[in-house]
Amino acid sequence: MTLPDVIVIGSGMGGATLAAALAPTGRRILILERGDRLRPTAADRDDEAIFGRGHFRPDDEWLDGDGRPFNPGNYYNVGGNSKFYGAVLIRYRAEDFRPIRHMGGMTEGWPLSYDDLEPFYQRAEELFQVRGQLGEDPTEPPHSGSYPFPPVPDEPPIAGLRRRLKAAGLHPASLPLAVDLPRWLEHGRTTWDAFPDTCGGKLDAETAALATALKHPNVTLFTNTRATRLVCGKDNRITAVEIMRNGQAESLEAPFIVLAAGAVQSAVLLLASADASHPAGLANGSGQLGRNFMNHNCSAVLALHPLRRNDCVYQKTLQVNDFYFTGGPGGEPLGNIQLLGKISGTILASGAPVPRLLAGWLARRSIDLYAMSEDLPNPESRVSLRNGRIVLDWKRSNWQAHELLVAKLKDVLRKAGYPLVLSRAFDRRTPSHQCGTARMGHDPRHSVADPFCRTHDHPNLFITDASVLPTSAAVNPSLTVAALALRAGRHIAEREFAP
């Protein structure tokens, strides 16, 4: 095999988008994915298989901070977790890049501004063919262009919800979505939230970014290939990636290495690559590797009316950001509200102690929402290794703000004509946008990577997944990860590949 110029570890949102950015350079790019491509199966649209039996959940077992085992629900396949995502591609707000006072503490802000990232947000929206509408959401940051496609339309029950929320004084807005709705519906009447994309109906890391990269003959994908260790040379450059491919150990070399295995697995790989010169792990001169883990505070909220049936198929077309910048007792931000994919009785019964018949009755009469609040960076919230096992000691923060957001949402929904409103928080088994274990910053003493995603300690090692996010904001991070990967790709192409 010809020596690649770049090895990208991971084919999720950060790795696939970085490959798409570099592919036009003509440099040889090798993408390593520990899993395989998802293939169509009978379980793809089976509520019981997915939510009841956990058909697609891997058998991973991690430990929590108290040493108790749990199944984390992270996926390993071509396209990464995006194969199961809700396809919401929303920009962080401009204010999210600045220091913000929250009910749970102060965030420091980012080493770059929204304006620095805006052109790459625009490119990412074009790459992922985002459906959206400008002008509806007063928190929407400036855009240099419009969305590539109009928004996914509301189904009648959601159009009714939109009218009621407006009448209650809120500003409901269309969710930016990366879904080819006709193609998705051709393969079964199911929402896309948490369902696997085996038909190309979602524009995810595989169907959008990786497909774009693989159009170029200089890009190669290895599946069933797990990176087990990075090898560092005397000059602090990464000299090799040790892998297991189809059960065989190998060693690969390239001038540049890009790590995009996800916020947990990227930190784990760097920690597992410790050597005599780097006893605390590679890229860990700051001691911050694995720290500042964040996972959004999230709750499902069901608005019910006994006389109104909700026969929506896809439902997830609306968001509310009226409490994004304010709402706390001192004007602190509370978070984002968006619709969930339509739940069924099977889904509801699998996640709550509700009899199946009652769950079905409730599901047919509910509109299902998702309340999301920012989890703040905390050095003691961290990923580590204990005797080779992954330990995720997630320390929730800013929970009071989330409880207030849920309370305000319930109040608004009752005023909008839904007499019964129920809520349930998500636990650590639901990976709600994991990020932050290799935070970016200008100062190598307090951060792992620089604003272009290059690690401070290793000049040829970049990280382009959600690990580098300094804050989690309160919206889905996928588009921000893609935008950062495009920005890093341009930097590598212009600076590192320059003759």
Side-chain angles (χ1 to χ4, degrees):
M1 173 181 151
T2 304
L3 182 72
D5 296 297
V6 183
I7 294 175
V8 180
I9 302 170
S11 66
M13 190 63 72
T17 305
L18 186 281
L22 293 181
T25 67
R27 299 299 182 106
R28 295 178 297 276
I29 301 163
L30 174 61
I31 306 166
L32 309 180
E33 170 53 54
R34 66 183 285 179
D36 207 341
R37 291 186 185 270
L38 287 174
R39 312 293 181 185
T41 70
D44 291 354
R45 300 292 184 268
D46 186 336
D47 293 2
E48 178 61 34
I50 295 170
F51 295 93
R53 301 196 305 271
H55 177 83
F56 291 98
R57 290 179 77 97
D59 295 330
D60 276 16
E61 186 179 84
W62 300 352
L63 302 177
D64 67 14
D66 295 319
R68 295 171 300 201
F70 71 99
N71 177 260
N74 290 47
Y75 298 103
Y76 307 112
N77 40 251
V78 176
N81 285 325
S82 75
K83 297 302 294 182
F84 292 82
Y85 78 157
V88 174
L89 292 183
I90 182 172
R91 300 183 183 200
Y92 280 14
R93 283 25 206 158
E95 291 82 350
D96 286 323
F97 294 84
R98 308 168 194 159
I100 298 177
R101 181 175 57 86
H102 295 266
M103 291 178 67
M106 191 82 183
T107 53
E108 296 180 4
W110 285 48
L112 51 82
S113 69
Y114 172 80
D115 290 341
D116 292 327
L117 201 55
E118 195 285 328
F120 303 98
Y121 271 133
Q122 189 66 38
R123 286 179 55 192
E125 287 167 350
E126 293 163 2
L127 176 62
F128 288 90
Q129 303 176 39
V130 179
R131 279 78 171 151
Q133 178 65 53
L134 295 176
E136 298 176 336
D137 182 355
T139 73
E140 183 88 41
H143 284 231
S144 56
S146 59
Y147 285 111
F149 294 93
V152 177
D154 294 337
E155 293 179 88
I158 305 310
L161 173 67
R162 190 186 288 253
R163 290 193 299 270
R164 293 184 184 95
L165 292 176
K166 285 183 177 179
L170 300 186
H171 300 81
S174 300
L175 266 179
L177 294 166
V179 176
D180 182 342
L181 183 60
R183 185 167 184 173
W184 183 264
L185 294 180
E186 282 176 7
H187 294 263
R189 291 176 56 80
T190 321
T191 185
W192 50 81
D193 240 359
F195 285 81
D197 178 21
T198 58
C199 67
K202 295 182 192 179
L203 283 304
D204 54 44
E206 179 191 23
T207 58
L210 185 62
T212 297
L214 290 175
K215 290 177 182 178
H216 297 260
N218 53 302
V219 180
T220 303
L221 171 68
F222 280 2
T223 59
N224 299 304
T225 304
R226 181 174 183 174
T228 58
R229 183 179 179 83
L230 303 183
V231 180
C232 185
K234 293 181 179 179
D235 59 355
N236 267 340
R237 297 184 71 86
I238 305 303
T239 58
V241 180
E242 295 180 355
I243 65 170
M244 290 294 295
R245 185 182 183 205
N246 296 318
Q248 299 294 317
E250 300 180 39
S251 181
L252 303 173
E253 298 179 3
F256 293 95
I257 309 298
V258 178
L259 183 52
V264 173
Q265 294 292 351
S266 286
V268 165
L269 180 58
L270 292 169
L271 290 168
S273 300
D275 58 25
S277 299
H278 309 87
L282 300 185
N284 199 20
S286 64
Q288 293 298 305
L289 178 66
R291 295 184 181 273
N292 304 295
F293 174 85
M294 293 168 284
N295 196 52
H296 280 138
N297 297 314
C298 299
S299 292
V301 179
L302 272 61
L304 296 118
H305 193 293
L307 302 181
R308 292 194 202 117
R309 284 181 64 96
N310 179 5
D311 296 318
C312 285
V313 176
Y314 50 90
Q315 181 174 269
K316 191 181 179 77
T317 56
L318 183 149
Q319 66 174 325
V320 173
N321 284 318
D322 290 79
F323 305 112
Y324 197 87
F325 292 141
T326 190
E332 300 92 343
L334 298 183
N336 166 270
I337 298 161
Q338 57 186 257
L339 285 169
L340 279 170
K342 185 70 196 88
I343 66 165
S344 65
T346 299
I347 296 172
L348 182 57
S350 69
V354 181
R356 188 62 61 96
L357 285 177
L358 176 59
W361 187 90
L362 292 171
R364 288 189 295 273
R365 289 159 178 82
S366 72
I367 289 180
D368 320 303
L369 300 101
Y370 184 60
M372 178 163 45
S373 303
E374 185 162 352
D375 186 22
L376 310 183
N378 174 1
E380 299 308 313
S381 183
R382 63 184 301 192
V383 175
S384 60
L385 286 173
R386 184 183 301 166
N387 299 321
R389 300 188 69 181
I390 297 173
V391 180
L392 176 57
D393 187 6
W394 174 35
K395 299 187 184 301
R396 279 190 190 270
S397 68
N398 208 32
W399 185 248
Q400 187 180 4
H402 183 65
E403 290 180 319
L404 185 55
L405 175 66
V406 172
K408 286 182 176 291
L409 173 57
K410 286 182 173 182
D411 184 58
V412 165
L413 290 170
R414 293 186 189 103
K415 291 177 180 177
Y418 299 91
L420 180 60
V421 185
L422 307 173
S423 65
R424 183 180 178 87
F426 291 167
D427 63 17
R428 69 182 65 245
R429 294 183 70 252
T430 304
S432 302
H433 313 143
Q434 300 167 348
C435 59
T437 58
R439 66 189 305 181
M440 64 165 60
H442 290 297
D443 190 342
R445 297 172 301 174
H446 303 293
S447 59
V448 176
D450 71 14
F452 290 101
C453 303
R454 185 208 299 269
T455 59
H456 292 300
D457 296 352
H458 309 287
N460 66 332
L461 174 63
F462 290 75
I463 305 175
T464 62
D465 57 29
S467 305
V468 300
L469 303 186
T471 63
S472 63
V475 294
N476 315 55
S478 293
L479 188 71
T480 298
V481 172
L484 287 170
L486 290 172
R487 186 171 184 265
R490 190 183 73 171
H491 175 83
I492 293 170
E494 293 182 352
R495 300 291 182 90
E496 309 300 338
F497 290 171

